[in-house]
Amino acid sequence: MAAPRRGAPVLLIRGSGPLLKSFFTLVSKPLCSSAAASRPLDAQRLAEKLRAQKREQKTKTKPVPTSPVQRRVQELVRFTQQLQRVHPNVLAKALSRGILHQDKDLVVINKPYGLPVHGGPGVQLCISEVLPILAKILHGHKAEPLHLCHRLDKETTGVMVLAWEKEVAHQVQELFRTRQVAKKYWAVTVHVPVPSAGVVDIPIIEKEVQGQQQHHKMTLSPSYRMDNGKMVKVRTSRNAQVAVTQYRVLSSTVSSALVELQPITGIKHQLRVHLSFGLDCPILGDHKYSDWNRLAPQKLPVGTLKKLGLEQPKARYIPLHLHARQLILPPLGFRKEELHLVCRLPRFFVHSLRRLGLEMPDQDENGHNEARPLEAQ
């Protein structure tokens, strides 16, 4: 038997039987078979085929909905899915095109739907991340980053104030904290508040919701309860926070309303909680606070679904109809007069008003509203 060449690897295997035979079949086949060279090519072709199929599935067009509302819902779904994939430069340019006011101290933007203000788990893009880019777009490459003066929820649209200097941002934050900033929100509600104007003064507390889906929600912590027809004061929790909301109905139908809200305090999710649990009029598209016991898509009345041109399974895609409509800032710095900031409604909000038969109010310089038909828009 010829000795193996120097440097060649030697494999010594002891044993016999079917197991050894199978091992030799497994090891020797790739080394000896003439098809061995072609197998990597086959794998490469398979990988290319799979990639081509995936590209085809992505580009495959879905049937276009016939209803304008369903088309709009599909656009919103696509928009919210793509929003987190937008490049920060693109988002900053979009924000710069929607600036409501700019002076040497402040920049006021129109916050879009579905965009968080701060980062967090699972957040790939937020407003705070693009502030340095937005500053460079407005003031050149040597500009210092803008600073946040307050926050809005991810699903809330509308007026948002930024400051060029950190000191000015702190001054504006103090104005918000001491309730010197007048804020007005517009919301579309499911059901109509009764009475049509009033004040909700009920403390709010965060609680854990027990059940299959354990989660936390803000809820009411009232100071009084009814006991045998009598109003009885109850001991309030130490964790409950004072929450006061002034509201009035601007336009209404049998099953929905356009409501103006003025939060006197600034508690987390205050407007949503007061409307849903205090007035039994949840905001359209509020899938968190429409039901206390579960996290599920908002269940809408049949009449509302019919007006919107939707079926209940599609209600999960309805965005929150809560818009920061107006801010009035007191004099600050070089500015000796109040600054009135008004932001137009987003398109989806206007479409819903039209479908629900709600009138769009006019607003004069003093902030007074007068309802008018939406067709005049």
Side-chain angles (χ1 to χ4, degrees):
M1 181 176 179
R5 290 174 298 171
R6 183 176 297 174
V10 179
L11 178 65
L12 297 177
I13 301 176
R14 293 178 180 175
S16 61
L19 183 60
L20 184 61
K21 184 177 180 182
S22 301
F23 179 82
F24 270 112
T25 304
L26 181 65
V27 172
S28 62
K29 217 170 184 181
L31 299 175
C32 304
S33 172
S34 61
S38 65
R39 288 192 177 179
L41 295 177
D42 291 343
Q44 186 176 357
R45 290 194 195 100
L46 179 61
E48 290 175 354
K49 185 177 179 181
L50 291 173
R51 282 195 290 267
Q53 289 176 351
K54 188 176 287 188
R55 285 195 298 268
E56 185 179 351
Q57 288 176 355
K58 285 185 178 180
T59 56
K60 193 174 181 181
T61 56
K62 296 181 180 180
V64 180
T66 55
S67 166
V69 178
Q70 289 180 343
R71 284 200 298 271
R72 184 60 186 154
V73 168
Q74 193 177 78
E75 287 176 11
L76 285 167
V77 174
R78 188 166 57 249
F79 172 71
T80 50
Q81 289 173 345
Q82 292 175 351
L83 192 59
Q84 292 297 314
R85 297 194 293 269
V86 172
H87 193 278
N89 290 351
V90 176
L91 176 58
K93 288 180 181 178
L95 293 176
S96 69
R97 289 193 293 267
I99 286 178
L100 306 173
H101 172 83
Q102 183 180 180
D103 57 39
K104 71 174 189 177
D105 287 330
L106 304 176
V107 174
V108 184
I109 62 173
N110 177 6
K111 180 193 169 298
Y113 170 80
L115 185 65
V117 174
H118 299 285
V123 175
Q124 299 176 6
L125 189 62
C126 60
I127 286 181
S128 60
E129 183 182 341
V130 301
L131 292 185
I133 305 171
L134 179 60
K136 288 178 171 59
I137 291 174
L138 299 177
H139 272 193
H141 291 289
K142 294 184 179 180
E144 293 294 323
L146 286 156
H147 302 275
L148 293 166
C149 295
H150 62 116
R151 65 181 299 277
L152 292 175
D153 289 341
K154 174 183 175 181
E155 296 86 0
T156 305
T157 59
V159 181
M160 186 162 193
V161 182
L162 311 171
W164 286 109
E165 301 291 338
K166 184 175 290 188
E167 182 181 348
V168 176
H170 288 160
Q171 291 175 6
V172 177
Q173 290 166 5
E174 184 65 14
L175 293 175
F176 275 94
R177 191 188 69 81
T178 54
R179 305 174 188 173
Q180 297 183 57
V181 180
K183 299 172 283 185
K184 291 184 179 180
Y185 290 75
W186 282 7
V188 176
T189 61
V190 182
H191 311 312
V192 183
V194 177
S196 60
V199 176
V200 182
D201 184 357
I202 308 176
I204 289 177
I205 189 172
E206 187 171 20
K207 287 186 177 180
E208 183 177 1
V209 181
Q210 302 294 331
Q212 294 180 347
Q213 298 174 294
Q214 285 192 350
H215 57 283
H216 287 81
K217 282 183 182 178
M218 308 302 287
T219 189
L220 301 177
S221 180
S223 304
Y224 294 86
R225 63 179 174 85
M226 295 298 293
D227 187 6
N228 295 326
K230 294 181 179 181
M231 190 79 73
V232 179
K233 187 174 179 60
V234 297
R235 181 182 297 176
T236 56
S237 170
R238 293 181 181 177
N239 297 324
Q241 296 174 288
V242 174
V244 182
T245 303
Q246 187 175 347
Y247 74 93
R248 66 187 180 112
V249 176
L250 301 178
S251 177
S252 65
T253 62
V254 174
S255 58
S256 59
L258 173 62
V259 182
E260 182 180 81
L261 303 158
Q262 290 184 259
I264 309 302
T265 55
I267 307 305
K268 177 182 176 182
H269 298 168
Q270 171 181 322
L271 301 179
R272 298 164 68 179
V273 172
H274 274 172
L275 280 172
S276 185
F277 302 148
L279 295 172
D280 193 25
C281 295
I283 299 174
L284 180 65
D286 193 345
H287 306 292
K288 181 170 186 175
Y289 288 103
S290 292
D291 191 312
W292 165 254
N293 293 311
R294 59 195 184 117
L295 286 172
Q298 185 178 42
K299 192 169 183 180
L300 295 173
V302 176
T304 302
L305 288 169
K306 188 175 181 181
K307 286 182 179 180
L308 293 173
L310 297 174
E311 297 178 354
Q312 181 58 47
K314 297 294 183 183
R316 69 176 63 243
Y317 300 120
I318 298 176
L320 182 72
H321 285 59
L322 179 62
H323 179 68
R325 172 68 173 178
Q326 183 181 22
L327 283 182
I328 303 177
L329 290 172
L332 180 70
F334 79 96
R335 184 171 38 81
K336 303 305 179 184
E337 64 281 339
E338 289 184 337
L339 181 60
H340 291 249
L341 303 164
V342 179
C343 185
R344 295 181 61 182
L345 296 172
R347 285 177 57 195
F348 72 84
F349 201 115
V350 176
H351 287 319
S352 296
L353 291 178
R354 184 177 291 114
R355 295 288 299 196
L356 293 170
L358 296 169
E359 295 181 336
M360 174 77 165
D362 274 328
Q363 192 166 42
D364 60 24
E365 294 180 357
N366 297 320
H368 298 128
N369 297 310
E370 182 180 350
R372 63 184 170 86
L374 207 63
E375 287 74 18
Q377 271 275 105

